[in-house]
Amino acid sequence: LSSATFSTLVSSDEPIVAERAMYFDYHGIDGGHDTAGATSPSSAWYLAEGYTAEEFDSYILLMNPQEEKTKVKATFLRADGTTLTTYYHIGAKSRATIKVDDIPGFESCEFSTKLETTSSTGIIAERSIYFNYQGKWAGGHNTMGVNEPQKSWYFAEGYTGY
């Protein structure tokens, strides 16, 4: 799989926890990020953050682990309240990458994303961002989407100093 794009299903006879670490050289930016795996496909995914301005590149990563192709409705919600809805087709047992920076009108903005399959087929969705922030910090981060909004969220770590 050298220099290949792929998705992964990890399964076991016993309950396990799985995460995926990725190390990269993205246009001269060295770094790494990881995310916990999803426990099952879903027909809806929400991604709270995206940014394409300055030297930030945002990607939506989709996996279709099903035996049939699926159509995904992607609604991008801009910080100014406007939205854009577009559709993507993902083949059976395959993956797709959406570079949001390449979507007309999204070259320089903040956004969130809602993904819905138009059939009963479930998918997996993640978001990756790679950046060079004001020439001071360069790197990347990734997160798995969530299946539905909730009233409460807990975060085990936070830090505001340097």
Side-chain angles (χ1 to χ4, degrees), residues 21-67:
M22 193 169 124
Y23 303 94
F24 55 83
D25 178 347
Y26 180 79
H27 302 293
I29 298 170
D30 292 328
H33 54 61
D34 77 350
T35 188
T39 56
S40 65
S42 177
S43 60
W45 289 92
Y46 298 83
L47 300 157
E49 180 195 21
Y51 190 65
T52 58
E54 302 163 350
E55 292 187 60
F56 285 72
D57 292 328
S58 293
Y59 295 87
I60 307 300
L61 314 167
L62 305 172
M63 173 191 188
N64 177 9
Q66 310 300 337
E67 296 290 340

Side-chain angles (χ1 to χ4, degrees), residues 4 18 20 36 39-40 57 77 80 98 101 112 118 131 133 137 156:
R20 185 255 316 130
T39 56
S40 65
D57 292 328
L77 302 91
D80 66 7
I98 303 165
D101 305 61
S112 296
T118 60
F131 60 89
Y133 180 68
W137 297 283

Side-chain angles (χ1 to χ4, degrees), residues 43-139:
S43 60
W45 289 92
Y46 298 83
L47 300 157
E49 180 195 21
Y51 190 65
T52 58
E54 302 163 350
E55 292 187 60
F56 285 72
D57 292 328
S58 293
Y59 295 87
I60 307 300
L61 314 167
L62 305 172
M63 173 191 188
N64 177 9
Q66 310 300 337
E67 296 290 340
E68 66 265 2
K69 67 182 179 181
T70 192
K71 185 175 179 183
V72 176
K73 176 183 176 183
T75 303
F76 298 96
L77 302 91
R78 293 175 57 120
D80 66 7
T82 61
T83 63
L84 171 73
T85 299
T86 188
Y87 294 85
Y88 298 91
H89 296 272
I90 307 172
K93 300 243 179 227
S94 67
R95 65 176 305 280
T97 299
I98 303 165
K99 185 176 182 186
V100 181
D101 305 61
D102 292 344
I103 298 172
F106 281 75
E107 302 89 349
S108 183
C109 68
E110 296 176 74
F111 66 94
S112 296
T113 308
K114 179 181 179 182
L115 302 159
E116 303 166 278
T117 60
T118 60
S119 65
S120 60
T121 302
I123 61 168
I124 307 298
E126 299 179 38
R127 188 267 306 132
S128 290
I129 297 178
Y130 301 95
F131 60 89
N132 185 353
Y133 180 68
Q134 298 180 348
K136 297 177 184 176
W137 297 283

